[in-house]
Coordinates of all heavy atoms in Angstrom, one line a residue:
M1445 N 0.8 -1.2 0.0 CA 0.0 0.0 0.0 C 0.9 1.2 0.0 O 2.0 1.2 0.5 CB -0.9 0.0 1.3 CG -1.9 -1.0 1.3 SD -3.1 -0.8 2.7 CE -2.0 -1.1 4.1
F1446 N 0.3 2.3 -0.5 CA 1.0 3.6 -0.5 C 0.0 4.7 -0.6 O -1.2 4.5 -0.9 CB 2.0 3.7 -1.7 CG 1.4 3.6 -3.0 CD1 1.0 4.6 -3.7 CD2 1.3 2.3 -3.6 CE1 0.4 4.5 -5.0 CE2 0.8 2.1 -4.9 CZ 0.3 3.2 -5.6
T1447 N 0.4 5.9 -0.2 CA -0.5 7.1 -0.3 C 0.0 8.0 -1.5 O 1.1 8.0 -1.9 CB -0.5 7.9 1.0 OG1 0.8 8.4 1.2 CG2 -0.9 7.0 2.2
H1448 N -1.0 8.7 -2.0 CA -0.8 9.6 -3.1 C -1.7 10.7 -3.0 O -2.9 10.6 -2.7 CB -0.9 8.8 -4.4 CG -0.8 9.6 -5.6 ND1 0.3 10.2 -6.0 CD2 -1.8 10.0 -6.5 CE1 0.1 10.9 -7.1 NE2 -1.2 10.8 -7.5
H1449 N -1.2 11.9 -3.4 CA -2.1 13.1 -3.5 C -2.6 13.1 -5.0 O -1.9 13.4 -5.9 CB -1.4 14.4 -3.2 CG -2.3 15.6 -3.2 ND1 -3.1 15.9 -2.2 CD2 -2.6 16.4 -4.2 CE1 -3.8 17.0 -2.5 NE2 -3.5 17.3 -3.8
C1450 N -3.9 12.9 -5.2 CA -4.5 12.8 -6.5 C -4.7 14.2 -7.1 O -5.2 15.1 -6.4 CB -5.8 12.1 -6.4 SG -6.7 12.0 -8.0
T1451 N -4.2 14.4 -8.3 CA -4.3 15.7 -9.0 C -5.7 16.0 -9.5 O -6.1 17.1 -9.8 CB -3.3 15.8 -10.2 OG1 -3.6 14.8 -11.1 CG2 -1.9 15.8 -9.7
A1452 N -6.6 14.9 -9.6 CA -8.0 15.1 -10.1 C -8.9 15.4 -8.9 O -9.7 16.4 -9.0 CB -8.4 13.8 -10.8
C1453 N -8.9 14.6 -7.9 CA -9.9 14.8 -6.8 C -9.3 15.6 -5.7 O -10.0 16.0 -4.7 CB -10.4 13.5 -6.3 SG -9.2 12.4 -5.5
E1454 N -8.0 15.9 -5.8 CA -7.3 16.8 -4.8 C -7.4 16.2 -3.3 O -7.5 16.9 -2.4 CB -7.9 18.2 -4.8 CG -7.7 19.0 -6.1 CD -6.2 19.3 -6.3 OE1 -5.4 19.4 -5.4 OE2 -5.8 19.3 -7.5
R1455 N -7.3 14.9 -3.3 CA -7.3 14.2 -2.0 C -6.1 13.3 -1.8 O -5.6 12.8 -2.8 CB -8.6 13.3 -1.8 CG -9.8 14.1 -1.7 CD -11.0 13.1 -1.6 NE -12.1 13.8 -1.0 CZ -13.2 13.2 -0.6 NH1 -13.3 11.9 -0.8 NH2 -14.2 13.8 -0.1
R1456 N -5.7 13.2 -0.6 CA -4.6 12.2 -0.3 C -5.3 10.9 -0.1 O -6.1 10.7 0.8 CB -3.8 12.6 0.9 CG -2.6 11.7 1.2 CD -1.9 12.2 2.4 NE -0.7 11.3 2.6 CZ -0.2 11.2 3.8 NH1 -0.5 11.9 4.8 NH2 0.8 10.4 3.9
Q1457 N -5.0 9.9 -1.0 CA -5.6 8.6 -1.0 C -4.7 7.5 -0.7 O -3.5 7.5 -1.0 CB -6.3 8.4 -2.4 CG -7.2 9.4 -2.9 CD -8.6 9.2 -2.4 OE1 -8.8 8.5 -1.4 NE2 -9.6 9.8 -3.0
L1458 N -5.2 6.5 -0.1 CA -4.5 5.2 0.2 C -4.7 4.3 -1.0 O -5.9 4.0 -1.4 CB -5.0 4.6 1.5 CG -4.3 3.3 1.9 CD1 -2.8 3.6 2.2 CD2 -4.9 2.8 3.2
M1459 N -3.7 3.9 -1.7 CA -3.7 3.0 -2.9 C -3.3 1.6 -2.5 O -2.4 1.4 -1.7 CB -2.8 3.6 -4.0 CG -3.2 5.0 -4.4 SD -4.8 5.0 -5.2 CE -5.3 6.7 -4.7
F1460 N -3.9 0.7 -3.2 CA -3.6 -0.7 -3.0 C -3.0 -1.3 -4.2 O -3.1 -0.7 -5.3 CB -4.9 -1.5 -2.6 CG -5.4 -1.1 -1.3 CD1 -6.3 -0.1 -1.2 CD2 -5.0 -1.8 -0.1 CE1 -6.8 0.3 0.1 CE2 -5.6 -1.4 1.1 CZ -6.4 -0.4 1.2
V1461 N -2.3 -2.4 -4.1 CA -1.5 -3.0 -5.2 C -2.5 -3.3 -6.4 O -2.1 -3.1 -7.5 CB -0.8 -4.3 -4.7 CG1 -0.2 -5.1 -5.9 CG2 0.3 -3.9 -3.7
R1462 N -3.7 -3.7 -6.1 CA -4.6 -4.1 -7.2 C -5.0 -2.9 -8.1 O -5.5 -3.0 -9.2 CB -5.8 -4.7 -6.7 CG -6.7 -3.8 -5.9 CD -8.0 -4.5 -5.4 NE -8.8 -3.5 -4.7 CZ -9.5 -3.7 -3.6 NH1 -9.4 -4.9 -3.1 NH2 -10.2 -2.8 -3.0
Q1463 N -4.7 -1.6 -7.6 CA -5.0 -0.4 -8.4 C -3.8 -0.1 -9.4 O -4.0 0.8 -10.2 CB -5.3 0.8 -7.4 CG -6.5 0.6 -6.7 CD -6.7 1.6 -5.6 OE1 -6.2 1.5 -4.5 NE2 -7.4 2.7 -5.9
I1464 N -2.7 -0.7 -9.2 CA -1.5 -0.5 -10.1 C -1.8 -1.1 -11.4 O -2.1 -2.2 -11.6 CB -0.2 -1.0 -9.4 CG1 0.1 -0.3 -8.1 CG2 0.9 -0.9 -10.4 CD1 1.2 -0.9 -7.3
T1465 N -1.5 -0.2 -12.5 CA -1.7 -0.7 -13.8 C -0.4 -0.9 -14.6 O -0.3 -1.6 -15.6 CB -2.6 0.3 -14.6 OG1 -2.0 1.6 -14.6 CG2 -4.0 0.3 -14.1
D1466 N 0.7 -0.3 -14.1 CA 2.0 -0.4 -14.7 C 3.1 0.0 -13.7 O 2.9 0.8 -12.8 CB 2.1 0.5 -15.9 CG 3.3 0.2 -16.8 OD1 3.7 -1.0 -16.8 OD2 3.8 1.1 -17.5
V1467 N 4.3 -0.6 -13.9 CA 5.4 -0.3 -13.0 C 6.7 -0.3 -13.9 O 6.9 -1.2 -14.8 CB 5.7 -1.4 -11.9 CG1 6.9 -1.0 -11.1 CG2 4.5 -1.4 -11.0
A1468 N 7.5 0.8 -13.8 CA 8.7 0.9 -14.7 C 9.8 1.4 -13.8 O 9.6 2.3 -13.0 CB 8.5 1.9 -15.8
P1469 N 11.0 0.8 -13.9 CA 12.1 1.2 -13.1 C 12.7 2.6 -13.6 O 12.7 2.8 -14.8 CB 13.2 0.1 -13.3 CG 12.8 -0.5 -14.5 CD 11.3 -0.4 -14.7
V1470 N 13.0 3.5 -12.6 CA 13.6 4.8 -12.9 C 14.8 4.9 -12.0 O 15.0 4.0 -11.1 CB 12.7 6.0 -12.7 CG1 11.6 5.9 -13.8 CG2 12.0 6.0 -11.4
T1471 N 15.6 5.9 -12.1 CA 16.9 6.0 -11.4 C 16.7 6.0 -9.9 O 17.5 5.5 -9.2 CB 17.7 7.2 -11.8 OG1 16.9 8.4 -11.7 CG2 18.2 7.1 -13.3
D1472 N 15.6 6.6 -9.4 CA 15.5 6.7 -8.0 C 14.3 5.9 -7.4 O 13.8 6.2 -6.4 CB 15.3 8.2 -7.6 CG 14.2 8.9 -8.3 OD1 13.6 8.3 -9.2 OD2 13.9 10.0 -7.9
G1473 N 13.9 4.9 -8.1 CA 12.9 4.0 -7.6 C 12.1 3.4 -8.7 O 12.6 3.0 -9.7
L1474 N 10.8 3.3 -8.5 CA 9.9 2.7 -9.5 C 8.8 3.8 -9.8 O 8.2 4.3 -8.9 CB 9.2 1.5 -8.9 CG 10.1 0.3 -8.6 CD1 9.3 -0.8 -7.8 CD2 10.7 -0.3 -9.8
E1475 N 8.6 4.0 -11.1 CA 7.5 4.8 -11.6 C 6.2 3.9 -11.6 O 6.2 2.9 -12.4 CB 7.8 5.5 -12.9 CG 6.6 6.4 -13.3 CD 7.0 7.2 -14.5 OE1 6.8 6.6 -15.6 OE2 7.4 8.4 -14.4
V1476 N 5.2 4.3 -10.9 CA 4.0 3.5 -10.8 C 2.9 4.2 -11.4 O 2.6 5.4 -11.1 CB 3.7 3.2 -9.3 CG1 2.5 2.4 -9.1 CG2 4.9 2.5 -8.6
S1477 N 2.1 3.5 -12.2 CA 0.9 4.1 -12.8 C -0.3 3.3 -12.1 O -0.2 2.1 -11.9 CB 0.8 3.8 -14.3 OG 1.9 4.5 -14.9
F1478 N -1.3 4.1 -11.8 CA -2.4 3.5 -11.0 C -3.7 4.3 -11.2 O -3.7 5.4 -11.8 CB -2.1 3.3 -9.5 CG -1.7 4.6 -8.9 CD1 -2.6 5.5 -8.3 CD2 -0.4 5.0 -9.0 CE1 -2.2 6.7 -7.8 CE2 0.0 6.3 -8.5 CZ -0.9 7.1 -7.8
T1479 N -4.8 3.7 -10.9 CA -6.1 4.3 -11.0 C -6.6 4.7 -9.6 O -6.7 3.9 -8.7 CB -7.1 3.4 -11.7 OG1 -6.6 3.0 -12.9 CG2 -8.5 4.1 -11.9
C1480 N -6.8 6.0 -9.4 CA -7.3 6.5 -8.1 C -8.7 6.1 -7.9 O -9.4 5.6 -8.8 CB -7.2 8.1 -8.1 SG -7.8 8.8 -6.6
W1481 N -9.1 6.2 -6.6 CA -10.5 5.8 -6.3 C -11.5 6.6 -7.1 O -12.7 6.2 -7.3 CB -10.7 6.0 -4.8 CG -9.9 5.0 -4.0 CD1 -8.8 5.3 -3.3 CD2 -10.2 3.6 -3.8 NE1 -8.3 4.2 -2.7 CE2 -9.1 3.1 -2.9 CE3 -11.1 2.7 -4.2 CZ2 -9.1 1.8 -2.5 CZ3 -11.1 1.4 -3.8 CH2 -10.0 1.0 -3.0
C1482 N -11.2 7.8 -7.5 CA -12.1 8.7 -8.3 C -12.1 8.3 -9.7 O -12.9 8.8 -10.5 CB -11.7 10.1 -8.1 SG -10.2 10.6 -9.0
G1483 N -11.2 7.4 -10.2 CA -11.2 6.9 -11.6 C -10.1 7.6 -12.4 O -9.9 7.2 -13.5
A1484 N -9.4 8.6 -11.8 CA -8.4 9.2 -12.6 C -7.1 8.4 -12.7 O -6.7 7.8 -11.7 CB -8.0 10.6 -11.9
E1485 N -6.5 8.4 -13.8 CA -5.2 7.7 -14.0 C -4.1 8.6 -13.4 O -4.1 9.8 -13.8 CB -4.9 7.4 -15.5 CG -5.9 6.5 -16.1 CD -5.8 5.1 -15.5 OE1 -4.7 4.6 -15.2 OE2 -6.9 4.4 -15.3
Q1486 N -3.2 8.1 -12.6 CA -2.2 8.8 -11.9 C -0.9 8.1 -12.1 O -0.8 6.9 -12.3 CB -2.5 9.0 -10.4 CG -3.8 9.7 -10.1 CD -3.7 11.2 -10.3 OE1 -3.0 11.8 -9.5 NE2 -4.4 11.7 -11.3
T1487 N 0.2 8.8 -11.9 CA 1.6 8.2 -11.9 C 2.4 8.9 -10.8 O 2.1 10.0 -10.4 CB 2.3 8.4 -13.2 OG1 2.5 9.8 -13.5 CG2 1.6 7.7 -14.4
G1488 N 3.4 8.2 -10.3 CA 4.3 8.7 -9.3 C 5.4 7.8 -9.1 O 5.4 6.7 -9.6
V1489 N 6.5 8.3 -8.4 CA 7.7 7.5 -8.2 C 7.6 7.0 -6.8 O 7.5 7.8 -5.8 CB 8.9 8.4 -8.4 CG1 10.2 7.6 -8.0 CG2 9.0 8.8 -9.9
L1490 N 7.7 5.7 -6.6 CA 7.8 5.1 -5.4 C 9.3 4.8 -5.1 O 9.9 4.0 -5.8 CB 7.0 3.8 -5.3 CG 6.9 3.0 -4.0 CD1 6.2 3.9 -3.0 CD2 6.1 1.7 -4.2
A1491 N 9.9 5.5 -4.2 CA 11.3 5.4 -3.9 C 11.6 4.0 -3.3 O 10.8 3.4 -2.7 CB 11.7 6.5 -2.9
D1492 N 12.8 3.6 -3.6 CA 13.3 2.3 -3.1 C 13.7 2.5 -1.6 O 14.8 2.9 -1.3 CB 14.5 1.8 -3.9 CG 15.0 0.5 -3.4 OD1 14.4 -0.1 -2.5 OD2 15.9 0.0 -4.0
L1493 N 12.7 2.2 -0.8 CA 12.9 2.4 0.7 C 14.0 1.5 1.2 O 14.6 1.8 2.3 CB 11.6 2.3 1.4 CG 10.5 3.3 0.9 CD1 9.2 3.0 1.7 CD2 10.9 4.7 1.2
T1494 N 14.2 0.4 0.6 CA 15.2 -0.6 1.1 C 16.6 -0.2 0.9 O 17.5 -0.7 1.5 CB 14.9 -2.0 0.5 OG1 15.1 -1.9 -0.9 CG2 13.5 -2.5 0.9
A1495 N 16.8 0.7 -0.1 CA 18.1 1.2 -0.4 C 18.7 2.2 0.5 O 19.8 2.6 0.4 CB 18.2 1.7 -1.9
G1496 N 17.8 2.7 1.4 CA 18.2 3.8 2.3 C 18.5 5.1 1.7 O 19.3 5.9 2.1
S1497 N 17.8 5.4 0.6 CA 18.0 6.6 -0.2 C 17.6 7.8 0.7 O 16.6 7.8 1.4 CB 17.1 6.6 -1.4 OG 17.1 7.8 -2.1
T1498 N 18.4 8.9 0.6 CA 18.1 10.1 1.3 C 17.4 11.1 0.4 O 17.2 12.2 0.8 CB 19.4 10.7 1.9 OG1 20.3 10.9 0.9 CG2 19.9 9.8 3.0
N1499 N 17.2 10.7 -0.9 CA 16.6 11.6 -1.9 C 15.1 11.6 -1.7 O 14.4 10.8 -2.2 CB 17.0 11.2 -3.3 CG 16.4 12.1 -4.4 OD1 15.8 13.1 -4.0 ND2 16.6 11.8 -5.6
A1500 N 14.6 12.7 -1.0 CA 13.2 12.7 -0.8 C 12.4 13.6 -1.8 O 11.2 13.7 -1.7 CB 13.0 13.3 0.6
V1501 N 13.2 14.2 -2.7 CA 12.6 15.1 -3.7 C 11.5 14.4 -4.6 O 10.5 14.9 -4.8 CB 13.7 15.8 -4.5 CG1 13.0 16.7 -5.6 CG2 14.6 16.6 -3.6
R1502 N 11.9 13.2 -5.1 CA 11.0 12.6 -6.0 C 10.1 11.5 -5.3 O 9.5 10.7 -5.9 CB 11.8 11.9 -7.1 CG 12.5 12.9 -8.0 CD 12.0 13.0 -9.4 NE 10.9 12.2 -9.8 CZ 10.9 11.6 -10.9 NH1 11.9 11.6 -11.7 NH2 9.8 10.9 -11.2
R1503 N 10.2 11.5 -4.0 CA 9.4 10.5 -3.2 C 8.0 11.0 -3.1 O 7.5 11.3 -2.0 CB 10.1 10.2 -1.9 CG 9.6 9.0 -1.2 CD 10.4 8.7 0.1 NE 11.7 8.3 -0.3 CZ 12.7 8.1 0.6 NH1 12.5 8.4 1.9 NH2 13.9 7.7 0.2
D1504 N 7.2 11.0 -4.2 CA 5.9 11.6 -4.1 C 4.8 10.5 -3.8 O 3.7 10.8 -3.6 CB 5.5 12.3 -5.4 CG 5.8 11.5 -6.6 OD1 6.2 10.3 -6.5 OD2 5.6 12.0 -7.7
L1505 N 5.2 9.3 -3.7 CA 4.4 8.2 -3.2 C 5.0 7.7 -1.9 O 6.2 7.6 -1.8 CB 4.3 7.1 -4.2 CG 3.8 7.4 -5.5 CD1 3.8 6.1 -6.4 CD2 2.4 8.0 -5.5
V1506 N 4.2 7.5 -0.9 CA 4.8 7.1 0.4 C 4.2 5.7 0.8 O 3.0 5.5 0.8 CB 4.4 8.1 1.5 CG1 4.9 7.7 2.8 CG2 4.9 9.5 1.1
A1507 N 5.1 4.8 1.0 CA 4.7 3.4 1.4 C 3.9 3.5 2.7 O 4.3 4.2 3.6 CB 5.8 2.5 1.5
A1508 N 2.8 2.8 2.8 CA 2.0 2.8 4.0 C 2.1 1.5 4.7 O 2.4 0.5 4.1 CB 0.6 3.2 3.7
Ligands
LIG1214 ZN1 -8.5 10.9 -7.3

């Protein structure tokens, strides 16, 4: 699970794995595409929390 601020409904939502439609590796984690509870398609970078990264700038998805 992770949280995301949706740009369509302007809410911070809790997302589940079953809402993920695509995952692609990027330099600072994984770019995740998913469908918000409101139906909007969203993307964000889920940082690799196991790597101990201190780069919080692109960590726009937060593992819950
Ligand atoms: Zn939404």
